[in-house]
């Protein structure tokens, strides 16, 4: 991608109406655009990051047997009435809309109901199970507060997987597998060192749910972390009784602010029973399907990465989620040198390297470096008349101060 044709620019000034670091940096870098409070559009650089995160999630979900679908945003109230989740008194964050004839519709804030209903067409016998179905899809939630940039939006992407199992045992096995897959996802996104499996409130069918909480002062949650055991307890279930049952010692726990980047839940028959998702077992007996739900917010994950990986000059993307692998910054002004810089760009691309090429003629070296720091691509390659005289380029990692001279032929 040539920066001279990239339609976005960087901004020197921080947006006035943003309190969160992630929104400030991502807006200034041209990754996202704020439409209104809690509603953000993704621009070319931002979409590349988001897609990388989505693909990591997709790979790990496919690895544990996930099958991808794409369900609708628009929701039929009749379905949600059957599980008692249509009423605004019970679910306080619905966005609702209506047809021309006045019939009410909902805009999905989660998808247990429609997917359970859909599975009734395909699940009849024990032979049709287990099934693991997921999507990466837009959710709408009328959140009360939205001051954490892309970490808490009113319109946001969610990866939601739902498991359909024949027995508690089969469910538990997948549930444990999903934990490993989740840890792998956060690890691959660069959050491995500060993300903890966290015991949180469970509901009717299990004692606990598990959250994946990443330590950051910008998080809205408070958790108590055992850093040696690498587990944590959410404040909402932090009692002496719970600590004892988990074998945790109060003295080993540190109170931290954190953001919930993912959440897994045992649902049991909470949805399958009222909606009638049943299967016939080996003995011809009818049972309700055992379900689980497994969520991750790719946008929230991206915001969390931005919160953690930055310095006073801008972002420092971990390689796996960076918009590009290389920022090729050309300071060349005359035609022969520009041609050589173009050659370097074309060669890198031919080798399959993802390159953002700052080929702008009119920007100063200082402005280019400031932009490059702000955008935060992990590796910077600088080409100038000076380096070309030695058939070389300067290579600098975003997280290092010094650059090294590297021969062009060994790039
Ligand atoms: P929270 O407790 O933060 O409100 P939640 O427990 O309601 O979130 P889930 O319904 O479990 O969240 O959603 C699954 C995942 O979707 C969350 O772990 C989070 O990563 C993401 N998510 C939830 N709400 C939002 C939001 N408003 N904006 C961005 N991502 C979100
Ligand atoms: Mg939560």
């Amino acid at each position: 991608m040539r920066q001279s044709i990239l339609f976005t620019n960087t901004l020197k000034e921080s947006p006035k109406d943003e309190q969160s670091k992630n929104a400030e940096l991502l807006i200034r870098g041209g990754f996202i655009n704020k439409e209104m409070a809690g509603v953000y559009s993704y621009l070319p650089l931002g979409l590349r990051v988001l897609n990388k995160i989505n693909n990591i999630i997709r790979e790990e979900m496919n690895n544990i047997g996930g099958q991808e679908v794409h369900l609708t945003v628009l929701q039929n109230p009749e379905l949600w009435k059957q599980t008692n989740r249509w009423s605004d008194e019970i679910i306080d964050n619905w966005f609702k809309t209506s047809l021309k004839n006045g019939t009410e519709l909902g805009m999905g804030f989660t998808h247990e109901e429609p997917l359970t209903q859909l599975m009734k067409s395909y699940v009849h016998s024990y032979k049709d199970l287990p099934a693991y179905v997921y999507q990466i899809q837009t959710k709408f939630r009328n959140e009360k507060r939205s001051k954490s940039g892309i970490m808490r939006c009113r319109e946001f992407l969610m990866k939601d997987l739902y498991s359909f199992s024949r027995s508690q045992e089969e469910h538990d096995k997948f549930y444990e597998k999903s934990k490993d897959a989740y840890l792998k996802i956060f690890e691959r996104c660069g959050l491995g060192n500060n993300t903890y499996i966290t015991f949180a409130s469970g509901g009717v069918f299990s004692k606990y749910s598990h959250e994946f909480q990443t330590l950051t002062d910008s998080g809205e949650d408070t958790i108590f972390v055992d850093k040696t055991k690498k587990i944590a307890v959410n404040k909402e279930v932090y009692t002496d009784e719970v600590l004892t049952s988990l074998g945790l010692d109060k003295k080993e726990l540190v109170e931290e602010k954190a953001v919930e980047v993912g959440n897994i839940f045992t649902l049991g028959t909470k949805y399958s029973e009222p909606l009638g998702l049943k299967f016939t077992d080996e003995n011809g007996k009818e049972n309700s399907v055992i379900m689980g739900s497994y969520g991750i917010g790719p946008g929230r994950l991206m915001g969390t990465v931005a919160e953690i990986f930055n310095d006073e000059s801008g972002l420092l993307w971990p390689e796996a989620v960076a918009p590009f692998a290389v920022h090729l910054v050309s300071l060349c002004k005359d035609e022969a040198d520009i041609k050589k810089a173009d050659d370097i760009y074309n060669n890198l691309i031919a080798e399959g390297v993802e390159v953002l090429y700052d080929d702008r003629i009119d920007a100063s070296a200082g402005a280019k470096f400031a932009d490059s720091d702000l955008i935060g691509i992990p590796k910077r390659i600088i080409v100038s008349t000076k380096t070309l005289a030695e058939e070389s380029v300067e290579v600098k990692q975003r997280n290092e101060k010094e650059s090294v001279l590297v021969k062009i032929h060994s790039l």
Side-chain angles (χ1 to χ4, degrees), residues 50 55 61 66 89 223 255 317 372 380:
L50 190 67
N55 282 333
M61 291 301 101
E89 267 97 74
I223 62 170
E255 183 174 338
W317 294 108
S372 181
R380 183 190 301 171

Side-chain angles (χ1 to χ4, degrees), residues 64-228:
I64 55 171
Q67 302 180 47
E68 189 169 359
V69 296
H70 191 91
L71 303 182
T72 65
V73 167
L74 292 178
Q75 297 297 312
N76 180 353
E78 294 317 312
L79 184 60
W80 296 78
K81 285 176 189 165
Q82 294 175 50
T83 54
N84 202 21
R85 290 216 290 179
W86 179 250
S87 155
D88 292 320
E89 267 97 74
I90 289 164
I91 300 297
D92 66 357
N93 61 14
W94 267 117
F95 275 109
K96 291 178 176 173
T97 183
S98 55
L99 296 178
K100 295 256 190 246
N101 68 11
T103 305
E104 266 194 306
L105 297 180
M107 300 177 62
F109 66 95
T110 182
H111 278 79
E112 282 85 2
E113 280 82 347
L115 185 60
T116 305
Q117 177 70 19
L118 186 155
M119 292 306 275
K120 284 165 67 179
S121 306
Y122 302 99
V123 171
H124 307 290
S125 111
Y126 67 95
K127 290 179 193 154
D128 302 323
L129 293 170
Y132 309 113
V133 185
Y134 77 96
Q135 59 178 342
I136 298 173
Q137 186 250 18
T138 303
K139 304 282 188 253
F140 292 86
R141 290 186 183 178
N142 204 341
E143 303 274 5
K144 258 195 210 81
R145 274 166 39 89
S146 199
K147 297 190 167 152
S148 301
I150 56 169
M151 289 159 62
R152 184 172 297 285
C153 295
R154 300 197 165 100
E155 173 178 343
F156 61 97
L157 270 194
M158 193 195 287
K159 185 287 296 176
D160 42 334
L161 182 146
Y162 303 88
S163 64
F164 301 88
S165 304
R166 290 169 285 203
S167 65
Q168 189 62 40
E169 195 191 348
E170 191 168 70
H171 167 79
D172 291 346
K173 237 188 226 157
F174 181 79
Y175 191 84
E176 289 308 313
K177 242 184 171 172
S178 80
K179 280 187 194 165
D180 292 339
Y182 267 46
L183 289 175
K184 240 184 248 165
I185 289 166
F186 301 125
E187 165 97 48
R188 288 180 65 184
C189 292
L191 301 177
N193 287 335
N194 32 14
T195 301
Y196 292 87
I197 292 195
T198 304
F199 291 85
S201 57
V204 202
F205 286 89
S206 65
K207 204 156 176 198
Y208 305 107
S209 69
H210 293 88
E211 294 170 343
F212 293 78
Q213 293 273 3
T214 304
L215 305 189
T216 159
D217 286 338
S218 60
E220 295 176 9
D221 291 7
T222 301
I223 62 170
F224 295 86
V225 187
D226 185 324
K227 295 200 174 165
T228 339

Side-chain angles (χ1 to χ4, degrees), residues 221-349:
D221 291 7
T222 301
I223 62 170
F224 295 86
V225 187
D226 185 324
K227 295 200 174 165
T228 339
K229 291 193 173 137
K230 282 226 86 171
I231 52 175
V233 178
N234 195 306
K235 193 177 182 178
E236 63 181 30
V237 297
Y238 181 78
T239 61
D240 287 333
E241 192 194 332
V242 166
L243 294 187
T244 313
S245 79
L246 296 173
L248 291 172
D249 182 351
K250 224 176 196 163
K251 290 197 290 291
E252 304 294 320
L253 300 179
V254 195
E255 183 174 338
E256 300 269 12
K257 297 299 282 174
V259 56
E260 178 201 307
V261 285
N263 195 343
I264 61 174
F265 235 94
T266 293
L267 299 172
T269 56
K270 185 175 173 187
Y271 299 98
S272 55
E273 215 168 272
L275 296 174
L277 177 63
K278 295 190 183 109
F279 71 100
T280 325
D281 67 17
E282 286 95 328
N283 307 315
K285 192 175 158 257
E286 255 197 353
N287 299 306
S288 290
V289 173
I290 310 278
M291 289 174 55
S293 70
Y294 311 77
I296 294 184
R300 182 178 288 186
L301 192 45
M302 174 170 160
T304 305
V305 172
E307 289 283 339
I308 290 177
F309 297 98
N310 67 70
D311 63 13
E312 64 287 343
S313 311
L315 293 153
L316 285 89
W317 294 108
E319 236 162 89
V321 300
F324 292 91
V326 168
H327 200 173
L328 177 63
V329 177
S330 164
L331 308 179
C332 303
K333 300 275 185 208
D334 71 70
E335 224 167 284
D337 288 349
I338 290 171
K339 163 86 179 50
K340 286 181 188 159
D342 283 353
D343 286 347
I344 294 173
Y345 174 59
N346 290 324
N347 287 338
L348 285 170
I349 286 183

